[in-house]
Amino acid sequence: MALVGPFVVQDGMGLSSTAIDVSNALQPPSSAHLLGTTATGEDVFAQLVVGSRVSLMVALVAGVLSTTLSVLIGVAGGYVGGRVDAVLTAVTNIFLVIPGLPLLIIIAGYVHGRGGPLTVALIIALTSWPWGARQKRAQTLSLRSRDFITAAEMTGESRWGVITRELVPGLAPIISVSFLGAVVGSMFADAGLSFIGLGNINTVSWGSMMYWAQNGSALTIGAWWWFVPPGACIALIGVAAGLINFGIDEISNPRLRRPPKKAVQRARAAALAAVRPTVATTASSAATSRTAS
């Protein structure tokens, strides 16, 4: 929807997310407006489709930046050790001590109106990387004493080579989970900033839709179609990320993989075939005993 939706909605259907038509204000969902209209007559479905691009872009950019920072700082500090680890750990602890949400609100309020969605993504990334860095540092400390790391060092591989070729692939499941969590958290943060008016409310996004719905007292007047769709889409992204996370866990951890149905059926058939002779032998012994008696 984020990739092709805006072109289809604006060009193919003739709908616009910013076209004001007061005569059609607060219309419930109908064939003319699939998700109704806002207090100024803007089409909610068009806003939902166009806003998906902005919300997902902010979430993905912030997730990539946050995960990259956490990997660089956590893995480098955990593997190199010494003063490098001490400095990076101190920086991480400073960011961990500072409350993330107030810091995010202060920075967003300072740059409010001076940048677009990418600025919001950068702010979210700069305030959300410490927990991931701490987690990856702990995992790196447990991996750097493994035999494959020692073998790579003995072959003359550089530190950067060991980090990129040995440690990062070994941390791939944790990095993927951290990335998905960062994407969902960034989307929630973007929606929250827009909802309280610190985001770019002049750009159509799922967060700005809820902001204008709150300003228009949509809940009070019963205009549920104004705020439920963006909230449902944000929740759907969270569910989707969770399902992807479960899939990655099953791929990376053989114990969690589900065997194919045919393999299960063959195993059951083999178990039944092994049990039947035992049951037959037991029944034959019982019959012989009764006859002898």
Side-chain angles (χ1 to χ4, degrees):
M1 183 172 68
L3 290 175
V4 302
F7 301 102
V8 175
V9 167
Q10 292 186 346
D11 296 336
M13 298 178 61
L15 300 175
S16 175
S17 59
T18 57
I20 297 176
D21 186 6
V22 182
S23 61
N24 286 325
L26 294 176
Q27 294 294 321
S30 63
S31 58
H33 302 282
L34 298 179
L35 292 177
T37 60
T38 66
T40 55
E42 298 167 325
D43 189 83
V44 175
F45 178 73
Q47 286 190 340
L48 187 72
V49 173
V50 174
S52 64
R53 175 172 294 185
V54 177
S55 296
L56 286 175
M57 181 188 68
V58 171
L60 290 175
V61 171
V64 170
L65 293 177
S66 175
T67 305
T68 302
L69 283 174
S70 64
V71 170
L72 290 176
I73 294 176
V75 176
Y79 176 69
V80 176
R83 294 183 179 179
V84 174
D85 185 29
V87 172
L88 295 179
T89 302
V91 174
T92 303
N93 291 336
I94 290 173
F95 275 87
L96 287 174
V97 170
I98 300 175
L101 182 60
L103 178 62
L104 178 62
I105 293 175
I106 291 172
I107 298 176
Y110 177 75
V111 300
H112 179 56
R114 303 181 187 179
L118 292 179
T119 304
V120 177
L122 180 61
I123 295 171
I124 295 173
L126 291 177
T127 56
S128 60
W129 61 267
W131 288 106
R134 175 60 67 85
Q135 180 188 37
K136 294 170 184 62
R137 176 183 177 273
Q139 293 296 324
T140 302
L141 290 175
S142 66
L143 287 178
R144 71 177 183 180
S145 58
R146 301 286 179 88
D147 293 339
F148 68 96
I149 299 295
T150 305
E153 293 173 343
M154 292 179 65
T155 57
E157 187 129 14
S158 62
R159 286 182 174 179
W160 180 250
V162 173
I163 291 175
T164 56
R165 297 189 184 95
E166 306 295 338
L167 285 175
V168 172
L171 296 172
I174 298 175
I175 294 174
S176 62
V177 172
S178 176
F179 171 70
L180 292 173
V183 169
V184 177
S186 300
M187 181 166 288
F188 289 161
D190 176 52
L193 289 176
S194 297
F195 184 74
I196 62 179
L198 293 179
N200 194 344
I201 58 176
N202 294 321
T203 301
V204 178
S205 66
W206 292 342
S208 65
M209 288 178 66
M210 291 191 292
Y211 169 80
W212 291 113
Q214 188 267 342
N215 273 6
S217 302
L219 180 62
T220 304
I221 62 180
W224 57 267
W225 58 86
W226 195 356
F227 60 88
V228 169
C233 286
I234 294 174
L236 183 61
I237 292 293
V239 173
L243 294 176
I244 294 173
N245 186 13
F246 295 153
I248 293 174
D249 286 342
E250 290 183 357
I251 293 173
S252 59
N253 189 351
R255 296 180 180 178
L256 299 178
R257 295 179 186 175
R258 297 179 182 178
K261 291 183 179 180
K262 292 184 178 180
V264 174
Q265 292 174 356
R266 287 196 298 267
R268 289 179 179 176
L272 289 175
V275 170
R276 283 170 184 169
T278 304
V279 173
T281 303
T282 304
S284 177
S285 300
T288 304
S289 242
R290 286 196 299 271
T291 302
S293 300

